[in-house]
Amino acid sequence: MKRIAFTIVLTCCTLVMAAQDAIRVNYSGTKPTITDFAWAYLFFDEENEEECDQEATADVENALMRYRQGLQQENGAKLIVDEKNGYILYEWYYDHTGSMKRVEMCYWNEADGKHKLFAYSSWYYENGKPGQGQYDCLTFYRYNNATKKMSMIETPGFDVEYLETTYTLPRVGKDIIVNKWKNGKKLQKTLKWKGRRFSLQ
C-alpha cells in the first residue's frame, strides 16, 4: 500500500513539473552559476505550485535563502555551495532516528557549446540505506545558452530506478554514481558522461 501511495504522489508531482513552461534563469555576469540554476528551479512559479511540489523542496528553498542572506543554517541542516565545480549539496538530519534527506544539484556543459544540463537529485535514507522517501527523484533540465531558459527533459541515456537505489551527482568529475543495495550490500555502477547523455559502464 505504501508503494502504491508513493507511486501516485510521484506521478502527480512529475506530471505537474512536466507541464510547466520553460524556466527563465536570471543571472549577472557572463554565465549562470549553480546557485542561479538552483534558484530558478526551486522558486519557479511558486504561486501556482501544487502542494506536493511545495512540500518536496521547502526545506531546500529555506537553506538556499539563508545562504544568500548570509545566515546560519537551521539545526540539523547542512548546505554546501561549490560555485567553482557547479555543485550544491543539502542534507537534513532527523533527530535521533538515523534518517536523512540528501539533495544534490549540479550542471554539465554540453558538447555542442550551446546547452547545459541541470540535474536535481533528492533521496531519503534510513540508517544509511534508501528509505523510499515520498519525494525521492532525479530530474533533468536542458538549458539553452541563447534563450537563457531551461526545460524539463527525459532522463538522458538511462532509466531512473527507485527501489533500493539512489544516485550520487558529481562534485568533481562528470559521471553519476548509481548506488544499489542488494541483500544488504551496496553495489555501485557508473553512468559515464558523453557530452549530452550518459552511458552505463
Side-chain angles (χ1 to χ4, degrees):
M1 191 65 162
K2 180 181 177 182
R3 289 182 182 174
I4 294 173
F6 165 72
T7 302
I8 292 172
V9 170
L10 179 63
T11 302
C12 159
C13 293
T14 302
L15 290 174
V16 169
M17 290 169 66
Q20 293 177 343
D21 295 329
I23 300 174
R24 178 83 177 181
V25 181
N26 296 313
Y27 61 92
S28 58
T30 57
K31 59 184 179 180
T33 66
I34 186 58
T35 307
D36 298 320
F37 284 118
W39 193 268
Y41 172 81
L42 293 170
F43 294 97
F44 172 73
D45 201 20
E46 278 190 298
E47 294 182 0
N48 296 318
E49 271 188 337
E50 295 289 327
E51 183 178 350
C52 62
D53 290 322
Q54 294 173 354
E55 291 179 359
T57 60
D59 51 351
V60 190
E61 291 174 6
N62 179 54
L64 193 60
M65 283 192 290
R66 284 176 170 272
Y67 169 79
R68 281 197 158 186
Q69 295 168 2
L71 301 175
Q72 184 176 349
Q73 295 297 324
E74 294 181 344
N75 289 336
K78 172 184 175 182
L79 180 71
I80 295 174
V81 178
D82 185 346
E83 297 285 7
K84 179 182 177 181
N85 290 304
Y87 175 87
I88 289 177
L89 169 68
Y90 169 80
E91 292 180 339
W92 175 267
Y93 299 88
Y94 297 86
D95 291 338
H96 313 298
T97 65
S99 301
M100 176 187 74
K101 176 180 179 179
R102 179 183 173 91
V103 173
E104 292 178 293
M105 290 174 270
C106 71
Y107 73 90
W108 296 259
N109 293 308
E110 295 197 352
D112 65 2
K114 299 178 180 179
H115 300 88
K116 301 181 192 302
L117 184 69
F118 169 77
Y120 176 91
S121 173
S122 176
W123 303 97
Y124 175 72
Y125 292 84
E126 292 179 348
N127 298 314
K129 297 180 180 179
Q132 289 186 258
Q134 185 177 6
Y135 303 117
D136 287 353
C137 71
L138 175 59
T139 57
F140 291 87
Y141 284 73
R142 178 156 285 125
Y143 173 79
N144 186 314
N145 292 340
T147 64
K148 299 182 179 180
K149 293 181 179 180
M150 62 181 184
S151 300
M152 189 177 186
I153 62 169
E154 291 185 8
T155 308
F158 66 100
D159 294 324
V160 178
E161 297 181 42
Y162 289 94
L163 185 60
E164 298 297 314
T165 305
T166 64
Y167 296 79
T168 303
L169 301 184
R171 180 174 182 177
V172 178
K174 298 180 180 180
D175 303 331
I176 296 174
I177 302 300
V178 183
N179 310 291
K180 192 168 183 66
W181 279 257
K182 189 173 183 179
N183 299 324
K185 294 183 179 180
K186 181 180 177 181
L187 307 174
Q188 290 189 332
K189 294 183 179 179
T190 302
L191 289 163
K192 298 288 292 184
W193 173 243
K194 298 295 185 178
R196 189 173 172 88
R197 59 192 295 276
F198 297 90
S199 176
L200 185 62
Q201 300 294 304

